[in-house]
Amino acid sequence: MNIEIKKLRLVLGDQLNIKHSWFKTVESNVTYVLMEIRSETDYAKHHIQKVVGIFAAMRHFAKELQQHKHDVIYIQLNDENNLHHFNKNVRALIDKYKFTQFEYQLPDEFRVDEHLKAFTRNLNIPSKVYDTEHFYTIRTELGDLFAGKNTYLMETFYRHMRKKHNVLTDHENKPLYGKWNFDEDNRQKLPKLHKPVDPLLFSNDVTEIETEIIKSNIKTIGKVNSKFFIWPINRKQSLELLEFFTNHCLHLFGTFQDAMAPYEWSVYHSRLSFSMNIKLLSPKEVVDKAIEAYTLNSDKIKFHQLEGFVRQIIGWREYMRGIYWLKMPEYANLNYFQHKGILPEWYWTGHTKMNCLKHAIHQSLDFAYAHHIQRLMVTGNFALLAGIHPDQVDAWYLGIYIDAFEWVEITNTRGMSQFADGGIVGTKPYVSSGAYINKMSSYCTGCNYDKNKKTGDKACPFNSLYWNFYKKHEDKLGNNPRIGMMYNVWKKMNPQAKQELLDQANYYLDHINEL
Ligand code: FAD
Ligand code: DLZ
Ligand code: SF4
C-alpha cells in the first residue's frame, strides 16, 4: 500500500520568495504555514514599522500562495491557539493534522537555525531542510575561499564574485574598463542647491495590523503612519521600487553615496534592503536590472555609478553573510576594545543638541531607515568614540531599522562599525572627527556645537572624543599601518594641547546624556 507523505512546510517571515522551487507546482499533500509569533517580535525591541512591515508582507504572501491554490495555514498574532514559538506551533499542527514530514528552508539567523535543528532532531517524523534559493553564495563559500588565511579582505571576495558570476567582466573575465573599483569617481557632498529626487513611497493601509500589535502589548520603538505605510509589502511594490531606483537614482547613486543633509533621508539610495532581506526580491534580479538600465541608458548612467551599486550587493551583502556563518556564534561576543559604556538615552529619542546625530536618529525613528554613511559615520562613529558596549550598539541597530536581521546587522555593527571583531571585517576602525561629517554633510551648519573647535565651550564632541579614542587604544592600534599618520600627529602635539583634548573628552563622556 502506498501511503502518501503529508508535508508541513514552514515559511519564515523573511523567506517570502515566491520564485522558490517549493511553489513551482501545487501539490495536494503539501501545506504551508506562516506564523506571527512573540519569539520573533520580542527577541529585540523592533521598530514598529519593521513588525508591521513583516506582518503585512507575510499576510500578503500567504494570500498570494492561496491564490495560486497552495494550501496555507496562517497563524495570526492574536489567534487563540497561537503558541508563539516555531516549534510549539509546528508540533501542535503535526498532532492536529497528522503530518508525516516537516520541511523548512535554511534560516538566515543563527538563533533560529539552532532552534529548528534542535527541534527536528527530537521530532518523531522525518524532516528535510532546503536552501532559500536567494543568495549568490552558500553559507560556507566565503570560509572556503579564505581557507587557511586569517584575513578576509572584502575586495578579494568581491573580485571572486565578479569573476565567478561574470558580472561586469569582459570575454577574458577581466573587469570592464580595466579596474575592479571606481570609488575614486564617487562620494561627493550634495551641492547647496541640489535637491535629490523625492523617494517613491507607498501608501499601504496597515491599521488593522497596528491595532493588533498594540493590543498584544508588544514593545516597539519609533512611529508609523499606518494609513500610509511607505514601505513595499509585496513583490509588485518591490519591483516598482527597483524600477524607480534604476530610472531615477542609479545615475547619481555613487556620486552621492556618502552625502548627508538634514531632511534628505534617502538621497539616491535604493531603499531595497527590506525587500531583499525578506526575499521579495533576489539580489540577482536587482543586479541584473541595474546592469540592464545601464546598458539601455549608458549616456545617463555612468559605469562608476553602476559598479558602486553592484559592489554593495554582490560584494558587501554576500560578504557579510559569509563572515556571519564563518564566525558565529563567537562573533556575537567579540569586544576587542573591551568597551563597557551605556548607550546614551537620546539614541532612543533623538533629543540631542548634536545636529548630525539628531537628524540621523530622528529620521531612523520616523522611517526605520538611515542610509549607510549615517549608520557608519554618525551613529556608529559616535558609539565607538564614546566606548559603548557592542551589545548595546547591536541591540539598537537590530531594533531600529526595517532591514535589520542579525546576519547583516551584527557583521556591519560589531564588525564594520565598532571594530569589536578586531579587524575581521575592516582593516581599521571607522572613526572620524567633526571634519569628516562636515565634509560629507550640511549638518554642521546650524549645530549647537562648533565643528572647528576641539576644546572649550561648544566644541564639537567628535573632535576631542576622536583623539581620546586613539590615545586610549594606542596599544591595540598604534602598530596599524593604516593609522600610523594619526599617531604621528598626536605625538607632535604639545602636552598641554593633548591634556586639554583628553579633559574635554572626559567631560563630554561624564555628561553624555546631556550632549
Ligand atoms: P543602498 O545604499 O541602496 O545599497 C544597495 C544595497 O546594497 C542595499 O540594499 C544592501 O542590500 C546592500 N548593501 C549596501 N551596503 C551594505 C553593507 N555594508 N552590508 C550589507 N549589504 C549592504 N544592512 C542591512 O540590510 N541590514 C542591517 O541590519 C544593516 N545594519 C547596518 C548597521 C550598520 C552599523 C551599518 C554601518 C550598516 C548596516 N547595514 C545593514 C548596511 C547598509 O547600511 C544597508 O544595507 C543600507 O543602508 C540599506 O539601504 P539601501 O537599501 O538604501 O542601500
Ligand atoms: C523579524 C520578525 C518578526 C518581528 N516577526 C516574525 C514573525 O512573527 N514570524 C516570523 O516567521 N518571522 C518574523 N520575523 C523574522 C524572523 O525573525 C526571521 O525569519 C528570523 O530571524 C530568521 O532570519
Ligand atoms: Fe555633528 Fe559636530 Fe557637526 Fe555638530 S559640529 S553636526 S556635532 S559633527
Side-chain angles (χ1 to χ4, degrees):
M1 196 172 60
N2 184 13
I3 303 172
E4 194 180 40
I5 300 171
K6 213 178 154 198
K7 294 179 190 172
L8 179 64
R9 286 178 168 170
L10 172 66
V11 180
L12 302 178
D14 61 351
Q15 296 182 335
L16 311 181
N17 175 10
I18 199 74
K19 301 257 176 193
H20 193 277
S21 50
W22 267 7
F23 310 119
K24 286 228 159 73
T25 51
V26 176
E27 292 167 67
S28 60
N29 63 332
V30 175
T31 301
Y32 295 97
V33 60
L34 293 95
M35 49 184 88
E36 298 168 358
I37 50 179
R38 294 302 295 258
S39 68
E40 301 313 294
T41 58
D42 295 5
Y43 72 82
K45 194 171 169 191
H46 303 287
H47 198 293
I48 179 75
Q49 292 186 36
K50 181 177 170 192
V51 186
V52 161
I54 289 171
F55 285 5
M58 286 170 69
R59 288 181 186 196
H60 201 282
F61 189 76
K63 281 212 184 86
E64 204 177 338
L65 289 182
Q66 281 162 340
Q67 279 158 5
H68 287 100
K69 308 286 178 225
H70 293 288
D71 192 17
V72 179
I73 297 173
Y74 193 93
I75 305 177
Q76 291 204 354
L77 186 63
N78 295 318
D79 280 355
E80 221 177 285
N81 298 329
N82 191 344
L83 298 170
H84 290 290
H85 287 272
F86 291 121
N87 60 344
K88 290 183 189 165
N89 277 333
V90 168
R91 171 91 61 188
L93 292 174
I94 291 171
D95 290 347
K96 185 168 174 192
Y97 296 105
K98 310 287 176 242
F99 289 107
T100 58
Q101 185 154 313
F102 171 62
E103 302 187 344
Y104 67 102
Q105 295 174 23
L106 282 172
D108 285 343
E109 190 185 335
F110 191 85
R111 171 186 62 93
V112 180
D113 195 50
E114 291 292 299
H115 171 81
L116 289 176
K117 274 199 288 201
F119 172 61
T120 49
R121 262 198 304 272
N122 297 320
L123 201 58
N124 53 357
I125 57 170
S127 63
K128 197 169 165 190
V129 58
Y130 292 71
D131 195 90
T132 53
E133 302 171 8
H134 170 81
F135 292 97
Y136 278 88
T137 49
I138 57 166
R139 283 178 180 178
T140 50
E141 185 161 340
L142 178 139
D144 293 343
L145 179 71
F146 290 104
K149 309 221 164 62
N150 51 14
T151 53
Y152 309 90
L153 266 188
M154 200 307 270
E155 190 62 26
T156 309
F157 174 81
Y158 172 55
R159 292 179 190 187
H160 156 82
M161 292 295 286
R162 288 267 299 272
K163 285 188 256 184
K164 181 171 173 189
H165 297 278
N166 302 112
V167 177
L168 309 183
T169 51
D170 63 17
H171 59 283
E172 290 174 28
N173 222 359
K174 299 227 169 75
L176 283 183
Y177 300 103
K179 273 195 311 184
W180 295 103
N181 186 316
F182 285 77
D183 249 359
E184 71 216 32
D185 299 331
N186 290 334
R187 313 203 150 154
Q188 294 172 22
K189 189 173 178 160
L190 281 171
K192 260 204 182 89
L193 296 176
H194 181 102
K195 174 87 187 84
V197 62
D198 283 334
L200 169 67
L201 307 179
F202 298 95
S203 50
N204 295 300
D205 186 344
V206 291
T207 39
E208 204 177 294
I209 297 177
E210 191 201 13
T211 310
E212 287 174 44
I213 291 169
I214 293 168
K215 188 175 156 206
S216 69
N217 211 15
I218 293 169
K219 301 275 172 290
T220 59
I221 46 177
K223 58 182 182 190
V224 64
N225 182 346
S226 57
K227 284 214 182 322
F228 299 96
F229 183 69
I230 62 169
W231 292 98
I233 56 168
N234 53 45
R235 185 165 162 80
K236 185 170 166 284
Q237 292 181 348
S238 301
L239 287 168
E240 278 173 45
L241 188 58
L242 175 57
E243 182 82 26
F244 175 84
F245 171 72
T246 53
N247 285 343
H248 303 289
C249 304
L250 180 57
H251 68 291
L252 287 173
F253 174 82
T255 307
F256 296 125
Q257 197 176 342
D258 290 358
M260 300 175 280
Y263 310 108
E264 297 299 345
W265 63 279
S266 61
V267 197
Y268 289 95
H269 292 271
S270 70
R271 295 174 298 118
L272 288 167
S273 49
F274 176 59
S275 292
M276 271 194 278
N277 292 355
I278 63 171
K279 304 185 182 54
L280 293 174
L281 291 180
S282 82
K284 183 165 179 347
E285 68 188 323
V286 173
V287 166
D288 288 350
K289 177 80 185 167
I291 294 173
E292 182 193 275
Y294 162 76
T295 313
L296 297 174
N297 295 296
S298 55
D299 47 339
K300 180 178 168 194
I301 304 169
K302 299 297 167 212
F303 188 74
H304 63 95
Q305 315 281 2
L306 175 71
E307 189 279 315
F309 182 70
V310 165
R311 176 155 25 95
Q312 305 312 311
I313 294 174
I314 68 167
W316 282 111
R317 187 169 190 267
E318 298 284 332
Y319 173 82
M320 290 309 199
R321 166 178 154 83
I323 294 285
Y324 183 76
W325 286 108
L326 183 66
K327 297 292 179 186
M328 281 296 280
E330 297 79 16
Y331 203 83
N333 293 316
L334 298 179
N335 186 358
Y336 183 63
F337 294 125
Q338 293 300 310
H339 280 165
K340 297 194 170 57
I342 294 169
L343 199 69
E345 285 154 21
W346 42 259
Y347 266 77
W348 303 100
T349 62
H351 296 155
T352 165
K353 297 189 282 292
M354 289 182 278
N355 216 26
C356 51
L357 281 150
K358 184 170 89 184
H359 282 283
I361 295 170
H362 270 293
Q363 76 158 68
S364 303
L365 293 167
D366 290 350
F367 301 113
Y369 178 88
H371 61 75
H372 185 69
I373 220 67
Q374 294 176 305
R375 299 186 201 197
L376 186 66
M377 296 312 291
V378 179
T379 43
N381 185 7
F382 187 89
L384 179 54
L385 292 178
I388 308 302
H389 196 299
D391 285 356
Q392 299 234 335
V393 189
D394 262 330
W396 188 79
Y397 280 101
L398 187 58
I400 200 156
Y401 293 119
I402 189 143
D403 58 28
F405 295 88
E406 194 190 65
W407 64 273
V408 57
E409 175 281 320
I410 200 170
T411 40
N412 269 294
T413 303
R414 205 169 272 257
M416 183 190 282
S417 163
Q418 300 300 294
F419 205 75
D421 64 2
I424 295 172
V425 163
T427 49
K428 73 177 180 67
Y430 280 98
V431 285
S432 81
S433 64
Y436 173 83
I437 295 175
N438 183 49
K439 185 174 150 218
M440 294 316 302
S441 80
S442 49
Y443 289 138
C444 300
T445 321
C447 180
N448 173 66
Y449 297 97
D450 183 343
K451 64 179 191 310
N452 296 319
K453 281 183 83 176
K454 294 188 178 65
T455 57
D457 192 31
K458 305 241 160 140
C460 167
F462 281 89
N463 292 341
S464 52
L465 290 175
Y466 177 73
W467 288 110
N468 182 61
F469 171 83
Y470 276 130
K471 168 77 179 77
K472 201 165 128 204
H473 297 302
E474 197 168 354
D475 58 330
K476 293 200 163 80
L477 300 174
N479 291 330
N480 184 325
R482 296 199 61 203
I483 313 177
M485 215 176 71
M486 296 316 303
Y487 281 105
N488 286 339
V489 176
W490 175 253
K491 277 176 200 137
K492 282 184 193 147
M493 250 184 245
N494 78 54
Q496 194 191 336
K498 283 184 186 173
Q499 195 52 51
E500 279 171 13
L501 276 170
L502 300 180
D503 289 346
Q504 183 80 33
N506 282 322
Y507 176 82
Y508 280 148
L509 291 175
D510 286 345
H511 297 82
I512 200 162
N513 282 313
E514 294 144 44
L515 290 179

